[in-house]
Amino acid sequence: MASPQPISPRSPHVAAARRLARRGLRAKERRFLAEGPQAVREAVAHRGPEGGASLVELFATVDAAERYEEILAAAHEAGARVHFAADGTMADIAQTVTPQGLIGVCRFLDRPMSEIAGARPTLVAVLAHVRDPGNAGTVLRCADAAGADAVVLTDASVDVYNPKAVRASAGSLFHLPVAVGVPAEQAVRELNAAGVRVLAADGGGERDLDEELDAGAMGRPTAWVFGNEAWGLPKETAALADEVVRVPLHGRAESLNLATAAAVCLYASARAQR
């Protein structure tokens, strides 16, 4: 059987996908790229609030199409346009050095802050002033693994649809509700109104995580606010929280990176709540 005819690298479909590397055009089109079989598999399975598939278009090399036949079948069934593409075309679209042969074009997934608060969440991660996309995606993955109900990115944080953030989330972006561009004051106000206690994670906190656990206060609905890895939370953001809590360092390390600290805090809350 002859190989499928690959899409032309000058196709408007290729040009449109390539443009999604830029944040402004992602926001305009409300589309983003998901690279690799894991992310594309989650995109195919995900359904938006109206019931439609999140994946709208798929580019695949012939080798990847043979290797991940079930993903292509699911994409066809979901109504996504499927294009075969040569390696050079995939490299032109992709944001990685070594593309994995599948690139999906997906609809934005974010939900309004009011919807997240209205669902009466019990565990939320709030990213305030987090600028590194890899950190944002990894914290989202940690929140998903800990069983969090949602992730909120403030208006001072990185774009969660940045290709590096999408890759770092390892598919978790498709697993739980995400709100983006929310002012920190609004996020805290709406979470408090929903009965959620807001804790700011900061190395300068007066109380440490062990003290919070010993006091028996961690079982309540909780939102953790995490700041920039390099300079932490701004004072005005930390002041919004009900408590500022530090992760205790029992060894000689001076600090933890953002994703590790987030995992410690989120899992502490998850365990207390269970």
Side-chain angles (χ1 to χ4, degrees):
M1 180 181 293
S3 297
Q5 183 66 31
I7 191 171
S8 168
R10 293 185 294 276
S11 164
H13 294 286
V14 173
R18 191 169 55 239
R19 287 195 295 269
L20 296 178
R22 298 168 59 184
R23 180 172 186 171
L25 289 173
R26 287 196 297 271
K28 180 180 178 181
E29 300 294 330
R30 289 193 60 80
R31 299 284 190 272
F32 70 100
L33 297 178
E35 294 185 36
Q38 184 173 3
V40 171
R41 186 179 289 111
E42 299 299 335
V44 171
H46 187 269
R47 295 292 182 269
E50 291 80 26
S54 294
L55 181 74
V56 296
E57 199 164 14
L58 177 62
F59 296 87
T61 64
V62 172
D63 286 346
E66 294 175 352
R67 190 178 308 117
Y68 304 109
E69 184 178 350
E70 78 287 356
I71 296 180
L72 265 75
H76 279 296
E77 186 176 346
R81 293 187 299 269
V82 177
H83 309 288
F84 292 96
D87 290 341
T89 304
M90 294 293 282
D92 198 27
I93 299 171
Q95 298 299 300
T96 53
V97 177
T98 54
Q100 299 179 61
L102 294 175
I103 302 176
V105 177
C106 307
R107 294 184 176 91
F108 273 18
L109 310 169
D110 50 277
R111 312 305 306 151
M113 183 66 212
S114 58
E115 181 179 307
I116 287 174
R120 310 293 290 187
T122 58
L123 185 57
V124 179
V126 179
L127 304 186
H129 301 267
V130 173
R131 304 293 176 82
D132 181 82
N135 277 337
T138 304
V139 173
L140 200 157
R141 184 180 183 182
C142 290
D144 181 22
D149 298 301
V151 173
V152 177
L153 287 92
T154 70
D155 52 1
S157 287
V158 70
D159 178 19
V160 75
Y161 300 115
N162 179 290
K164 186 176 179 181
V166 177
R167 290 196 301 274
S169 81
S172 289
L173 177 60
F174 297 96
H175 292 171
L176 72 175
V178 176
V180 300
V182 184
E185 297 86 348
Q186 177 189 345
V188 172
R189 182 176 66 252
E190 293 197 34
L191 288 167
N192 280 158
V196 179
R197 184 169 180 245
V198 177
L199 302 179
D202 190 84
E206 293 184 2
R207 294 175 64 84
D208 72 29
L209 186 58
D210 289 344
E211 291 171 337
E212 286 291 309
L213 287 166
D214 291 343
M218 294 289 290
R220 296 174 50 188
T222 301
W224 283 97
V225 183
F226 304 106
N228 184 280
E229 181 162 319
W231 60 80
L233 279 171
K235 291 181 178 179
E236 60 272 18
T237 303
L240 298 170
D242 297 301
E243 294 280 356
V244 181
V245 180
R246 68 183 184 277
V247 176
L249 301 173
H250 302 301
R252 297 169 61 183
E254 295 183 357
S255 63
L256 295 173
N257 65 30
L258 173 61
T260 302
V264 169
C265 295
L266 291 166
Y267 268 91
S269 287
R271 180 178 181 182
Q273 291 174 0
R274 285 166 172 76

